[in-house]
Amino acid sequence: MNILVLGSGGREHTFAYKIVESPLCDTLFVAPGNAGTAAIATNVPIAVTDFSTIKDLVLKENIKMVVIGPEDPLVQGISDFFKEDSQLKDVVVIGPSKEGAQLEGSKEYAKEFLFRHDIPTAAYQSFTAETVEEGKKFLETLSSPYVLKADGLAAGKGVLILQDIEEAKSELENMLTNKKFGAASEKVVIEEFLDGIELSVFVLTDGKNYVTLPTAKDYKRIGEGDTGLNTGGMGAISPVPFADDILMTKIEEQVVKPTVDGLAKENIDYKGFIFIGLIKVGDDPKVIEYNVRMGDPETEAVLPRVKTDLVSLFQHVGDQTLDQVILEIDPRTATTVMTVSGGYPEAYQKGKEIIGIDTITESIVFHAGTKLDGDKVITNGGRVIAITSFDDNFKDALKKSYSNIEKLHFDKMYYRKDLGFDL
Ligand code: AMP
Ligand code: GLY
């Protein structure tokens, strides 16, 4: 079978890495891909939201399965585009319908879904420019810190956590009236602050059945000790050491099952990943967000632990037979450390030559923002290369990742040296 992966990050390189090892895959295409995917698949320079050119490629190359990496094409309805097209309708698309993608595309939609299905989450109310004064009054009923969330997609930047009530009120005004995050903050969800430790759970569902993939924890802040600006993610650890059987059973019963059942009950077409962001408050899980795709860099730590053939898993999703699958998971810990361009997540330079990739042997190298320049690999984004290592525990796995990163070099390379500090 010919397969297409959409996207160009470390997540997509990891998908490609797993897919090409499957005997079910004949030719793999990645659009647009990076230097890492170019080495194991055929890159095609098509934007992930250019549906009509994607259609041409799928027909020309007889592609029977499309795996969607990022959220944008999902929120824009790529799954519906395939389903409604007589030539594309039998292609297996891994990614939910436009309706399902609203779980990530709108915070208010997600909160309403959570409340309809009695899934534990923070109390909230949502406001628009017309109700900004009511929003300020609502803030007065809460205690610090205050959590403000832009309703729409804001590239991971739309959540503000503020200590001071006056600052919270003025930021609310900024978001609603001055459109701080553009159209994404025309509506704002104000949420109760949850105090606890975060973890993420990944689910693959066919719309009726599901399998739970390994847990992971990512490190979003640029600075050590979780300080500084938010990034896409500076590293990940899987499994999360504190996610014991008791907590996982609660997550399964209180969160995962009601989520999948809720989607089915509401006839929401959902064949793909659900990435559930959780906070453990006391001994109990609460949902902070849904994403309708895998995480990046969580994928780089989670998928290498999945021993079950990924393409066969995706076929079961297409056939709605995931109930027949028993997942095989590598019991070892995987850790991923992300190297980034100096300056990221603010302005940074691209085009720096990356040296030493071939010298790394004990870890897996996943490319993120890289591209080929003749026979050189150069930087092409903020997050550049992720290094994933296995060992019996996260400390030893991290040691391996860090010692291998020292073999890698590009101008102004930066990475966090303290992953796992909080575990
Ligand atoms: P989100 O985009 O919803 O995942 O929010 C980004 C980050 O803000 C999360 O990873 C949490 O660290 C934090 N966060 C979001 N909602 C809450 C909340 N209700 N209480 C505490 N922290 C939160
Ligand atoms: N690492 C967080 C995300 O992919 O959303």
Side-chain angles (χ1 to χ4, degrees), residues 1-240:
M1 175 174 34
N2 294 344
I3 302 174
L4 169 65
V5 170
L6 286 188
S8 61
R11 167 181 51 209
E12 288 76 20
H13 187 192
T14 313
F15 277 130
Y17 170 89
K18 295 299 289 182
I19 288 170
V20 295
E21 73 182 23
S22 168
L24 298 167
C25 175
D26 293 318
T27 305
L28 176 66
F29 298 88
V30 184
N34 57 32
T37 61
I40 55 173
T42 304
N43 280 359
V44 195
I46 303 176
V48 296
T49 50
D50 182 355
F51 296 175
S52 69
T53 312
I54 291 169
K55 173 179 173 174
D56 295 343
L57 176 75
V58 167
L59 294 178
K60 176 166 158 252
E61 300 294 353
N62 194 26
I63 288 165
K64 296 293 181 205
M65 179 181 282
V66 181
V67 183
I68 318 290
E71 61 278 15
D72 274 339
L74 293 166
V75 172
Q76 291 183 31
I78 194 165
S79 294
D80 312 70
F81 175 84
F82 272 73
K83 211 173 172 189
E84 288 157 13
D85 187 298
S86 60
Q87 292 173 290
L88 299 178
K89 63 179 178 16
D90 295 326
V91 174
V92 175
V93 176
I94 302 301
S97 62
K98 189 172 185 172
E99 175 76 20
Q102 285 294 97
L103 284 182
E104 177 165 359
S106 163
K107 300 272 186 203
E108 185 184 48
Y109 180 98
K111 295 300 286 191
E112 288 173 349
F113 179 91
L114 288 162
F115 273 83
R116 272 201 301 284
H117 299 289
D118 243 341
I119 300 168
T121 188
Y124 80 107
Q125 280 191 32
S126 50
F127 300 92
T128 61
E130 284 72 51
T131 56
V132 62
E133 293 308 317
E134 289 159 44
K136 291 179 189 169
K137 288 205 188 89
F138 181 64
L139 282 171
E140 281 168 3
T141 69
L142 302 173
S143 47
S144 169
Y146 305 93
V147 183
L148 308 183
K149 299 187 174 184
D151 179 59
L153 290 183
K157 298 192 173 82
V159 176
L160 301 181
I161 298 181
L162 304 158
Q163 306 297 326
D164 179 68
I165 179 92
E166 291 312 320
E167 202 187 347
K169 285 181 187 172
S170 83
E171 284 294 358
L172 180 69
E173 178 113 29
N174 266 336
M175 288 167 91
L176 290 173
T177 316
N178 306 329
K179 302 212 173 82
K180 177 171 176 143
F181 300 107
S185 68
E186 279 170 8
K187 198 178 272 173
V188 170
V189 169
I190 301 181
E191 220 173 77
E192 163 200 13
F193 179 81
L194 299 174
D195 196 8
I197 184 158
E198 287 181 49
L199 76 155
S200 299
V201 171
F202 302 90
V203 175
L204 179 65
T205 181
D206 61 19
K208 287 199 298 207
N209 314 290
Y210 67 87
V211 290
T212 305
L213 302 170
T215 56
K217 188 174 191 328
D218 86 336
Y219 290 83
K220 286 204 179 93
R221 302 293 197 91
I222 188 73
E224 290 177 3
D226 281 345
T227 54
L229 294 174
N230 257 327
T231 69
M234 298 295 292
I237 294 176
S238 173
V240 178

Side-chain angles (χ1 to χ4, degrees), residues 34-36 339-341 349-360 365-373 375-387 405 407-411 413:
N34 57 32
T339 61
V340 305
S341 301
Q349 289 176 346
K350 296 183 187 177
K352 311 283 188 191
E353 183 175 0
I354 306 166
I355 293 164
I357 295 174
D358 294 339
T359 64
I360 294 176
V365 177
F366 290 121
H367 290 237
T370 71
K371 72 173 187 185
L372 287 174
D373 177 20
D375 53 7
K376 285 193 257 179
V377 178
I378 60 172
T379 65
N380 190 39
R383 295 192 292 171
V384 177
I385 281 187
I387 302 291
I405 280 185
K407 301 177 188 165
L408 202 64
H409 177 77
F410 55 89
D411 186 33
M413 178 175 102

Side-chain angles (χ1 to χ4, degrees), residues 11 104 218 220 231-233 275 289 291 293-298 383:
R11 167 181 51 209
E104 177 165 359
D218 86 336
K220 286 204 179 93
T231 69
F275 160 174
E289 65 166 345
N291 294 301
R293 51 172 175 85
M294 282 298 288
D296 193 352
E298 291 91 332
R383 295 192 292 171

